[in-house]
Amino acid sequence: MTDAEQQDQGPHPAQHWFDDDAGPVVRPYAMTRGRTSAATRHRLDLIAVVVPEPAADDPGRDQTLSPEHVEIVERCSDTPQSIAELAAGLDLPVGVVRVLVGDLVEDELVHVTRPVPPAELPDVSILREVINGLRAL
Amino acid sequence: MAFGRSSRKKPLVEPVTLKILVAGGFGVGKTTLVGAVSEIRPLRTEEILSEAGRPVDDLHGVENKSTTTVAMDFGRITLRDDLVLYLFGTPGQDRFWFLWDELAQGALGAVVLADTRRLEESFAAIDYFERRGIPFTVAVNCFEGAQRFPAESVRGALDLDPEVELLMCDARDRESVKNVLVAVVEHALVLADRPAAPVPT
Ligand SMILES: Nc1nc2c(ncn2[C@@H]2O[C@H](COP(=O)(O)OP(=O)(O)O)[C@@H](O)[C@H]2O)c(=O)[nH]1
Ligand SMILES: [Mg+2]
């Protein structure tokens, strides 16, 4: 929670909006070394889940990887995590995590689950399970 | 340097992940609502925006451009070890709508959180979800001190379709928020069961 949010209770004057949800970029982007996400790479959904491949256990594979790449694999090795969770956990912008995960996919060290296809609702049986699951919380 | 300490003992579970959006004006209680049901403290992610206010995919030279970030809060509910629901609190301002486009892709549904003292701040979100055929429920966050209005008059003020549910809620209360989420998914279920109607363009 930001200071602005903690201080303000109730309705907020319009000028506070900018300060809460937006801010200047101050982080270095050295870790992507200026690389771009290749055009062929699909844009990874925030809830796409990163799953390490068995090859990620192979010590010979990771000479060129940055510590951030390694940390992503390690964070997912017990419980696969979503792009959103990785970004929050590593304290990196989502765009940077997308590039790093894209590298790992290319190196076949991880694969990424496909979320429900765009423009399609999850099927009825899943929705029923979600309702039951929520009620049981 | 090896990843992990030893070979994996058990196969990893690859969960089906779903998302529900929580939209509404600043300070209406989105983060509070997410936190009331999330098993983790609401986390923040940041997207980098270009000068034009679009999300940046291409990080080349981004350090030289004038960019800002936009933060989204999200929480997680593990319904089963293979079924995980994420809630995303989405900034309600018009200038962040490109974010909604991305978030709305594949979203199961949405909560529009409203405050009766400034209902007009929910209009944009309601319009957005109506136009895209995304199932949503309106939840009026009942702040103390705010005058209570009957649900019918709030519905009227928001010009809601009869099938859109409107609930009173307390964004701080887990049971209350659970009810809101169940209402969203039930509405999604009704729409999913119905033969697809042409979406107006
Ligand atoms: N009294 C009361 N305060 C609330 C309620 N929901 C949120 N708040 C407070 O309102 C402020 C803004 O809430 P927050 O969740 O950060 O709003 P957001 O900007 O929509 O994410 C915080 O100080 C919350 O503690 C509520 O139901 N009742
Ligand atoms: Mg918030």
Side-chain angles (χ1 to χ4, degrees):
Chain A
M1 192 180 285
T2 63
D3 290 345
E5 273 177 313
Q6 270 165 347
Q7 283 154 16
D8 289 52
Q9 304 283 330
H12 298 267
Q15 65 266 26
H16 285 266
W17 291 14
F18 259 57
D19 302 46
D20 178 60
D21 285 322
V25 168
V26 291
R27 291 205 184 94
Y29 291 91
M31 73 185 60
T32 60
R33 287 174 242 131
R35 284 165 308 113
T36 64
S37 9
T40 49
R41 285 180 188 167
H42 59 283
R43 203 172 152 79
L44 296 172
D45 195 286
L46 283 167
I47 62 168
V49 171
V50 178
V51 186
E53 300 286 6
D57 283 340
D58 177 353
R61 293 294 298 269
D62 47 32
Q63 302 298 326
T64 64
L65 298 179
S66 70
E68 288 78 17
H69 287 109
V70 175
E71 192 170 353
I72 288 173
V73 177
E74 283 179 350
R75 279 171 180 263
C76 296
S77 67
D78 286 326
T79 312
Q81 292 194 28
S82 63
I83 298 287
E85 283 165 293
L86 287 169
L90 294 163
D91 197 19
L92 290 173
V94 173
V96 173
V97 172
R98 285 195 173 108
V99 171
L100 297 174
V101 170
D103 293 341
L104 292 168
V105 170
E106 220 144 80
D107 289 351
E108 297 176 1
L109 292 171
V110 304
H111 67 271
V112 174
T113 62
R114 257 179 70 70
V116 174
E120 259 178 58
L121 280 174
D123 69 65
V124 168
S125 62
I126 289 191
L127 295 179
R128 292 220 169 84
E129 288 178 42
V130 172
I131 292 172
N132 293 336
L134 284 170
R135 289 219 170 98
L137 280 182
Chain B
M1 168 178 47
F3 291 115
R5 294 116 306 245
S6 58
S7 298
R8 218 161 274 142
K9 283 137 261 164
K10 55 183 170 60
L12 292 171
V13 178
E14 298 188 20
V16 171
T17 53
L18 300 164
K19 62 189 165 188
I20 290 179
L21 314 189
V22 182
F26 182 78
V28 75
K30 299 182 295 294
T31 306
T32 306
L33 182 147
V34 170
V37 285
S38 176
E39 67 208 23
I40 50 174
R41 205 166 41 83
L43 296 172
R44 302 208 110 184
T45 58
E46 285 184 15
E47 287 265 8
I48 307 161
L49 308 186
S50 67
E51 288 152 278
R54 310 290 312 178
V56 175
D57 261 341
D58 179 347
L59 297 169
H60 188 70
V62 77
E63 67 281 5
N64 302 321
K65 291 181 186 151
S66 77
T67 51
T68 55
T69 59
V70 57
M72 289 168 287
D73 291 330
F74 70 98
R76 184 184 64 209
I77 303 172
T78 302
L79 297 169
R80 283 192 329 228
D81 61 353
D82 61 350
L83 187 61
V84 177
L85 178 63
Y86 291 93
L87 303 177
F88 284 89
T90 327
Q93 296 94 301
D94 295 10
R95 68 196 192 92
F96 294 139
W97 277 7
F98 61 85
L99 258 192
W100 293 25
D101 285 341
E102 171 169 351
L103 279 170
Q105 287 240 325
L108 164 52
V111 177
V112 175
L113 200 53
D115 178 346
T116 52
R117 293 167 293 186
R118 43 205 179 106
L119 277 183
E120 67 286 352
E121 285 177 17
S122 342
F123 292 168
I126 290 171
D127 268 1
Y128 182 93
F129 296 126
E130 269 177 357
R131 245 181 286 126
R132 282 164 183 76
I134 295 166
F136 70 97
T137 295
V138 176
V140 177
N141 194 13
C142 298
F143 287 87
E144 303 89 359
Q147 193 189 338
R148 303 293 163 107
F149 296 93
E152 273 320 301
S153 72
V154 179
R155 293 189 71 90
L158 295 173
D159 191 23
L160 292 183
D161 282 346
E163 65 181 18
V164 173
E165 202 170 338
L166 179 134
L167 299 172
M168 302 296 161
C169 84
D170 182 335
R172 300 162 302 180
D173 182 76
R174 184 178 162 88
E175 288 304 312
S176 178
V177 173
K178 269 168 60 178
N179 286 337
V180 171
L181 297 178
V182 167
V184 172
V185 187
E186 280 179 337
H187 189 41
L189 190 56
V190 170
L191 296 188
D193 251 344
R194 189 185 292 172
V199 179
T201 45

